């Protein structure tokens, strides 16, 4: 009964980044939507991505990481070391 309630279904729907604005984002596979933070910032579970601080922050972080992976041998080697240790 709890899992099929309207409130639970709405919460799950607000946790998925299958939003129109996310569809065009290169970082969609690495990101996610947090309804708790959305509610804390805007008073609603539904994200307002163009003004969402978390979205801007993640885009900046992902841009930095991928730029370093693609164009900086020193950083790429360090990332590869981390991957080897994680495996």
């Amino acid at each position: 009964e709890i899992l099929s309630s309207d409130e639970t279904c709405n919460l799950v729907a607000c946790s998925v980044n299958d939003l129109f604005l996310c569809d065009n984002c290169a970082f969609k596979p690495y990101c996610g939507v947090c309804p708790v933070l959305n509610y804390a910032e805007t008073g609603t579970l539904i994200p307002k991505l163009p003004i969402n601080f978390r979205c801007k922050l993640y885009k900046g972080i992902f841009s930095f990481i991928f730029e370093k992976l693609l164009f900086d041998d020193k950083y790429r080697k360090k990332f590869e070391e981390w991957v080897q240790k994680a495996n």
Side-chain angles (χ1 to χ4, degrees), residues 2-66:
I2 292 172
L3 293 176
S4 63
S5 71
D6 287 343
E7 291 84 2
T8 302
C9 291
N10 287 334
L11 186 60
V12 170
C14 292
S15 301
V16 179
N17 67 347
D18 284 344
L19 304 167
F20 178 74
L21 293 173
C22 294
D23 287 345
N24 296 321
C25 182
F27 306 122
K28 181 179 178 178
Y30 311 103
C31 196
V33 178
C34 181
V36 174
L37 290 176
N38 291 331
Y39 188 79
E41 288 181 3
T42 65
T44 179
L45 297 176
I46 301 167
K48 297 177 180 170
L49 294 175
I51 62 168
N52 185 294
F53 176 76
R54 185 172 179 266
C55 180
K56 292 177 185 177
L57 178 67
Y58 278 22
K59 282 183 180 180
I61 291 169
F62 291 140
S63 293
F64 177 82
I65 290 171
F66 284 110

Side-chain angles (χ1 to χ4, degrees), residues 77-87:
K77 288 177 184 174
K78 182 54 72 176
F79 286 131
E80 288 171 358
E81 285 177 27
W82 291 349
V83 169
Q84 291 300 322
K85 288 180 183 178
N87 290 329

